[in-house]
Amino acid sequence: MSLFLLLILVALVLGIIGFAAHGLFYLLVIGAVVLLADLVYGAVRLRRGGRRHRIAR
């Protein structure tokens, strides 16, 4: 969960810097890509749930 939140924060910071600074549009694009990758990661984790494999005895 902390990795998910960290990646959201990084994407927001990169997006804000890329939007505000002249000539750093590529940071906005990188922030958008990181955000999309983070959302896919979160969806996969949510879909999988917290199920763990049981160890057979």
Side-chain angles (χ1 to χ4, degrees):
M1 183 65 167
S2 62
L3 178 63
F4 179 77
L5 294 175
L6 176 69
L7 287 176
I8 291 283
L9 183 64
V10 167
L12 285 174
V13 168
L14 286 175
I16 290 170
I17 292 172
F19 180 75
H22 181 69
L24 295 179
F25 180 72
Y26 66 94
L27 285 180
L28 179 62
V29 173
I30 291 172
V33 169
V34 169
L35 180 65
L36 287 175
D38 189 38
L39 291 177
V40 168
Y41 170 74
V44 168
R45 297 260 317 186
L46 181 67
R47 188 171 180 190
R48 232 199 291 173
R51 292 180 280 169
R52 303 269 186 222
H53 295 290
R54 289 179 143 176
I55 299 173
R57 292 184 187 202

